[in-house]
């Protein structure tokens, strides 16, 4: 509509900022209200937003302000959807199969990340842009039917007469006193701010460093998805294995050095291989953190701990992207990626040396 890169970035910011502001409250709500009911409400809200976008697009009434408003509303809903969706998994599977379920969820997500953009390209040519939004809206019916049919052993905090803010601070105090949870959350935060921002810099690497076209750029993006999918399937296959903490540390360090390796590469094939390792190791690390957090938390605090995970991962990501964007303008994209990888490597090696309890969980 505008050909404005700034407005495109602003839409992304508005979609992410509510997660930063509200996800911790979303965790409190997940601990106070039946998670299945929360998810039914959020899926209906997502569906209505998708249909609204389709109608406005079809009638050619869509404006940049409307897109920003829909992005912001989508982010608000996500802030309450994500903690409930992550926390309900253990109620469906039990602790024994938790890692399998989280890994399979990651595999589904990364499969969609590989297939979705290509499918969208075909559907836009067949159905038009509004048709894609309508199809997206209809797809939520499958989720609603599934949610309606499943039975959960939902844990609800019976002592929910206290104030929302009081419950929030109770959750933060619980996390402050649990050293393992603090370390796991800090690992997510460092990855989100200094590591995951590599994604927004891939187009710059493709154009300025590797000097490849759109097709080459697409392959770079796909390679991260392929690595992530393979890692998720491997994790699902491993199941409830011992030494999860050791694999977490190894995965985090492999991610860091792969990022440094990618920053140094000037060869297209080597960059592809590095991104496969980056995608795979990041998924291994995040899935293991998610699992270890849920294993080491009492049921009454599960929603709040998972909301802290979402806050540090998705909520801090826009600031990491901003940091990477500004730094790449000043120092160049390769040096920015290297600095991010080195910061992550130093932090994770320090965790390995000074926090041995992580390797024992």
């Amino acid at each position: 509509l505008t050909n404005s890169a700034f407005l495109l970035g602003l839409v992304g910011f508005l979609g992410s900022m509510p997660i930063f502001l509200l996800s911790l409250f979303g965790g409190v709500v997940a601990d106070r209200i039946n998670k299945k009911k929360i998810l039914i409400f959020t899926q209906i809200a997502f569906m209505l937003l998708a249909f609204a976008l389709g109608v406005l697009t079809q009638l050619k009434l869509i404006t940049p302000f409307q897109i920003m408003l829909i992005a912001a509303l989508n982010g608000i809903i996500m802030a309450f959807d994500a903690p409930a969706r992550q926390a309900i998994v253990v109620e469906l599977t039990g602790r024994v199969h938790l890692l399998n379920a989280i890994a399979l969820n990651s595999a589904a997500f990364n499969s969609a990340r590989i297939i979705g953009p290509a499918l969208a390209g075909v559907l836009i040519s067949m159905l038009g842009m509004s048709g894609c939004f309508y199809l997206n809206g209809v797809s939520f019916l499958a989720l609603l039917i599934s949610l309606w049919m499943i039975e959960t052993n939902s844990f609800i905090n019976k002592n929910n007469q206290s104030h929302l803010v009081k419950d929030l601070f109770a959750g933060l105090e619980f996390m402050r006193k649990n050293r393992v949870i603090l370390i796991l959350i800090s690992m997510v935060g460092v990855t989100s701010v200094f590591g995951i921002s590599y994604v927004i810099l891939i187009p710059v690497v493709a154009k300025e460093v590797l000097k490849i076209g759109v097709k080459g750029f697409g392959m770079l993006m796909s390679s991260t998805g392929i690595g992530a999918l393979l890692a998720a399937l491997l994790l699902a296959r491993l199941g409830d294995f011992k030494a999860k903490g050791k694999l977490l540390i190894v995965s985090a360090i492999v991610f860091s050095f792969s990022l440094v390796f990618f920053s140094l590469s000037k060869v297209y094939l080597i960059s592809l291989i590095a991104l496969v390792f980056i995608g795979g190791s990041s998924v291994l690390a995040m899935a293991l953190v998610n699992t270890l957090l849920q294993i080491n938390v009492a049921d009454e605090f599960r929603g709040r701990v998972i909301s802290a995970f979402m806050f540090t991962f998705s909520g801090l990501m826009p600031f990491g992207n901003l940091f990477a964007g500004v730094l790449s303008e000043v120092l160049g994209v390769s040096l920015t990626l290297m600095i991010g990888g080195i910061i992550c490597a130093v932090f994770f090696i320090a965790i390995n040396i000074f926090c041995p309890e992580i390797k024992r969980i």
Side-chain angles (χ1 to χ4, degrees):
L1 292 175
T2 64
N3 293 317
S4 170
F6 168 74
L7 288 179
L8 185 64
L10 182 59
V11 167
F13 178 79
L14 289 171
S16 301
M17 201 58 190
I19 298 173
F20 175 78
L21 296 173
L22 298 173
S23 61
L24 293 176
F25 288 100
V28 176
V29 172
D31 284 334
R32 293 163 66 108
I33 301 174
N34 185 291
K35 299 174 187 65
K36 177 178 171 179
K37 291 180 179 178
I38 295 172
L39 292 174
I40 290 174
F41 173 81
T42 57
Q43 301 314 303
I44 291 172
F46 282 137
M47 180 174 66
L48 292 176
L49 288 178
F51 281 135
L53 198 52
V55 170
L56 291 168
T57 302
Q58 184 179 15
L59 298 178
K60 301 189 186 304
L61 299 174
I62 193 72
T63 66
F65 173 77
Q66 291 167 347
I67 294 172
M68 292 179 203
L69 178 61
I70 289 172
L73 291 172
N74 197 79
I76 291 170
I77 298 163
M78 182 62 73
F80 292 89
D81 174 85
R85 180 160 36 86
Q86 294 287 340
I88 201 174
V89 174
V90 72
E91 296 175 3
L92 297 171
T93 65
R95 292 174 185 262
V96 174
H97 300 296
L98 180 61
L99 180 58
N100 301 69
I102 289 173
L104 287 170
N105 179 61
S106 182
F109 174 81
N110 285 289
S111 298
R113 195 170 70 170
I114 297 168
I115 298 167
L119 184 61
V122 174
L123 289 173
I124 287 171
S125 64
M126 293 172 58
L127 305 175
M129 195 73 75
S130 60
C132 283
F133 294 137
Y134 287 137
L135 191 60
N136 181 33
V138 170
S139 72
F140 283 99
L141 292 174
L143 297 171
L144 287 167
I145 292 168
S146 299
L147 284 167
W148 191 264
M149 292 175 65
I150 64 173
E151 297 292 334
T152 66
N153 297 314
S154 185
F155 178 88
I156 303 171
N157 187 0
K158 302 299 183 183
N159 184 28
N160 60 2
Q161 302 302 313
S162 58
H163 195 275
L164 206 67
V165 175
K166 185 178 179 181
D167 278 2
L168 172 61
F169 280 106
L172 293 174
E173 181 66 12
F174 169 79
M175 287 180 269
R176 187 185 69 81
K177 291 180 177 179
N178 191 312
R179 180 174 158 86
V180 168
I181 289 177
L182 276 182
I183 294 169
L184 293 172
I185 292 291
S186 70
M187 291 180 72
V188 177
V190 169
T191 304
S192 181
V193 174
F194 299 106
I196 297 298
S197 53
Y198 80 88
V199 174
I200 68 160
L201 297 178
I202 289 179
V204 185
V205 172
K207 182 179 180 181
E208 297 181 3
V209 179
L210 301 176
K211 302 186 188 314
I212 53 178
V214 175
K215 184 177 179 181
F217 164 65
M219 285 298 296
L220 288 176
M221 295 300 291
S222 294
S223 63
T224 62
I226 290 167
L229 177 59
L230 291 174
L233 292 173
L234 171 65
L235 208 53
R237 179 68 182 85
L238 288 175
D240 188 34
F241 66 98
K242 294 182 179 179
K244 296 182 183 71
K246 288 182 180 178
L247 182 57
L248 168 60
I249 295 293
V250 170
S251 300
I253 293 173
V254 168
F255 169 78
S256 305
F257 282 104
S258 298
L259 194 55
V260 173
F261 195 61
F262 177 63
S263 74
L264 295 170
S265 173
K266 302 293 187 291
V267 180
Y268 178 50
L269 180 60
I270 293 175
S271 296
L272 286 174
I273 294 170
L275 284 171
V276 169
F277 278 94
I278 289 171
S281 57
S282 63
V283 161
L284 280 175
M286 290 304 103
L288 285 165
V289 168
N290 192 341
T291 303
L292 291 171
L293 282 173
Q294 298 211 48
I295 288 174
N296 287 279
V297 67
D299 288 330
E300 63 184 294
F301 290 107
R302 187 178 308 282
R304 279 165 280 184
V305 170
I306 291 300
S307 71
F309 170 79
M310 298 305 302
F311 172 82
T312 50
F313 183 68
S314 299
L316 294 182
M317 200 177 294
F319 299 98
N321 292 343
L322 182 63
F323 168 79
V326 171
L327 206 62
S328 63
E329 285 287 330
V330 178
L331 302 177
V333 64
S334 295
L335 191 53
T336 298
L337 288 167
M338 183 185 294
I339 290 171
I342 290 172
I343 290 173
C344 289
V346 170
F347 184 79
F348 297 137
I349 290 171
I351 292 289
N352 184 52
I353 296 171
F354 299 109
C355 305
E357 62 266 41
I358 294 297
K359 291 182 286 186
R360 293 195 292 267
I361 57 176

